[in-house]
Amino acid sequence: MTNSHVIFSASIALFLLLSISHFPGALSQSVKVCKSKTNNTCIDKDKALDLKLIAIFSILITSLIGVCLPFFARSVPAFQPEKSHFLILKSFASGIILSTGFMHVLPDSFDMLSSPCLNDNPWHKFPFTGFVAMISAVFTLMVDSITTSVFTKSGRRDLSADVASVETPDQEIGHVQVHGHGHSHALHHNLQGENDKELGSYLQLLRYRVIAIVLELGIVVHSIVIGLSVGATNNTCTIKGLVAALCFHQMFEGMGLGGCILQAEYGWVKKAVMAFFFAVTTPFGVALGMALSKTYKENSPDSLITVGLLNASSAGLLIYMALVDLLAADFMGQKMQKSIKLQLKSYAAVLLGAGGMSVMAKWA
């Protein structure tokens, strides 16, 4: 149910973005030629191909290491989900995801949708990047809340049915003794208390699973887009910087996603599928860019608008997830609220993660 809701919502959002980007009059009708601002000495198709192949394998390996690291770290007592060290590490990863949205994806969208290759009307007269990012954040909130609400009602119905099935035998026998009534009343309250605890645990687990799926969706969109740009260019100077930066980027971003998948308590098969899906998206984007390198032009109006809108949508989703579902949920939780010292350590971890990823924005 959760998977279908998120996939359906993502499909609708993607369809709307692509539709907007191809409205009549939306594309540039300018006759001027938009050329890439590249250094001709860096253009080497054969060398670029070798670098792209290296990029595919190196990014795949570092992505797998990053997303799988939290799974194996669970065997270390200090890094189990209920421990303080896990929260600090998760805060570091959440800072990375937050910085990815603000410092990497959002600026790229601004640059693309304000390109001189697009007509002034409407692209230079309305802040489409901010608007789409805002709509994306609200849309993510809607999917988040509605999905949780549906499962909450379903869980309460199931638990109410369990309580009713326990009460039915006494009602059929028709006990009227005071002692019997008191015993049944006490049993009902005990069962109700246990069911409330089960419902709370169930809802928390549900939240973790929704967070893991939606977060992976946002990361996947961003990863494919950035991989596409690497695969489509033949600028060796650009590729060299991007490969190194993307390896670190994917590793740390994978750690954040891996922590969320770990808290969702999926079986090993689902964990493996989600980890593999995350790891292959950027290499897939690079391969797709290589296949489309003859037809895909990064400065064409079609490419600028489509990729710019996708980046804006991804930025809104990542920023919402990092601030609301990851940072706010942890910092306002019981464990954090009981310890100011733990909060300060976690804030330092957030700033360290966000700061490190912000520095990487110079190259990727």
Side-chain angles (χ1 to χ4, degrees):
M1 186 74 174
T2 304
N3 288 341
S4 61
H5 268 76
V6 174
I7 294 172
F8 173 75
S9 302
S11 301
I12 294 297
L14 186 60
F15 172 76
L16 290 175
L17 287 175
L18 294 175
S19 298
I20 290 173
S21 68
H22 290 87
F23 279 158
L27 300 181
S28 173
Q29 303 298 323
S30 176
V31 295
K32 60 186 177 183
V33 178
C34 293
K35 296 182 179 179
S36 301
K37 296 179 180 179
T38 57
N39 184 358
N40 291 332
T41 60
C42 291
I43 303 297
D44 188 334
K45 190 173 181 180
D46 294 332
K47 190 175 181 180
L49 178 61
D50 294 336
L51 290 174
K52 290 173 189 177
L53 293 175
I54 294 172
I56 289 175
F57 290 104
S58 58
I59 293 173
L60 177 64
I61 293 171
T62 52
S63 297
L64 281 172
I65 292 173
V67 74
C68 292
L69 192 61
F71 303 160
F72 298 103
R74 189 170 189 174
S75 59
V76 180
F79 289 101
Q80 291 181 355
E82 64 274 7
K83 301 295 184 179
S84 298
H85 289 86
F86 180 83
L87 285 176
I88 295 173
L89 184 63
K90 186 181 174 185
S91 297
F92 174 78
S94 299
I96 289 173
I97 294 171
L98 181 65
S99 181
T100 299
F102 274 118
M103 299 298 296
H104 292 254
V105 190
L106 203 60
D108 285 348
S109 178
F110 273 116
D111 289 342
M112 290 176 180
L113 297 183
S114 61
S115 170
C117 299
L118 301 180
N119 271 349
D120 287 343
N121 188 20
W123 300 105
H124 296 174
K125 294 185 177 181
F126 184 80
F128 281 98
T129 294
F131 177 75
V132 173
M134 176 185 68
I135 295 299
S136 174
V138 174
F139 188 79
T140 305
L141 170 62
M142 183 180 71
V143 173
D144 206 1
S145 63
I146 291 176
T147 304
T148 304
S149 178
V150 169
F151 276 85
T152 299
K153 291 179 180 179
S154 176
R156 283 176 177 163
R157 281 198 301 267
D158 294 340
L159 291 173
S160 296
D162 291 340
V163 173
S165 65
V166 173
E167 292 177 344
T168 300
D170 283 344
Q171 292 171 353
E172 289 177 350
I173 295 171
H175 283 171
V176 294
Q177 290 92 343
V178 175
H179 176 73
H181 175 74
H183 176 72
S184 176
H185 188 68
L187 179 61
H188 170 77
H189 276 283
N190 288 336
L191 287 172
Q192 189 64 44
E194 292 176 2
N195 286 330
D196 287 342
K197 290 181 181 179
E198 290 179 7
L199 178 61
S201 300
Y202 172 78
L203 293 180
Q204 186 61 58
L205 181 61
L206 168 68
R207 292 291 302 124
Y208 287 144
R209 290 183 174 179
V210 172
I211 288 169
I213 293 171
V214 178
L215 179 60
E216 175 149 13
L217 177 66
I219 291 174
V220 161
V221 173
H222 160 59
S223 296
I224 291 178
V225 168
I226 196 169
L228 185 66
S229 65
V230 174
T233 183
N234 288 319
N235 189 323
T236 56
C237 299
T238 301
I239 296 173
K240 287 177 183 178
L242 279 174
V243 171
L246 283 176
C247 286
F248 285 103
H249 178 277
Q250 290 296 107
M251 177 181 288
F252 290 121
E253 199 171 50
M255 289 171 60
L257 178 62
C260 293
I261 296 173
L262 180 63
Q263 286 186 311
E265 296 183 8
Y266 286 119
W268 277 105
V269 174
K270 287 188 177 180
K271 285 180 182 177
V273 170
M274 294 184 74
F276 177 78
F277 194 54
F278 163 77
V280 300
T281 48
T282 302
F284 171 76
V286 175
L288 184 63
M290 292 169 63
L292 299 176
S293 58
K294 292 183 179 180
T295 57
Y296 176 83
K297 305 299 179 184
E298 60 182 12
N299 278 342
S300 70
D302 279 338
S303 300
L304 288 169
I305 294 169
T306 303
V307 176
L309 291 175
L310 285 173
N311 272 335
S313 178
S314 179
L317 190 153
L318 291 173
I319 292 169
Y320 169 86
M321 294 297 296
L323 288 175
V324 178
D325 282 340
L326 298 178
L327 292 174
D330 285 341
F331 279 94
M332 300 307 293
Q334 291 184 359
K335 191 172 183 64
M336 284 275 201
Q337 289 297 306
K338 290 178 181 177
S339 175
I340 298 296
K341 185 177 180 180
L342 178 58
Q343 288 187 49
L344 293 176
K345 289 180 179 179
S346 298
Y347 278 123
V350 172
L351 294 175
L352 183 62
M357 189 56 66
S358 296
V359 172
M360 288 186 188
K362 180 179 180 181
W363 298 282

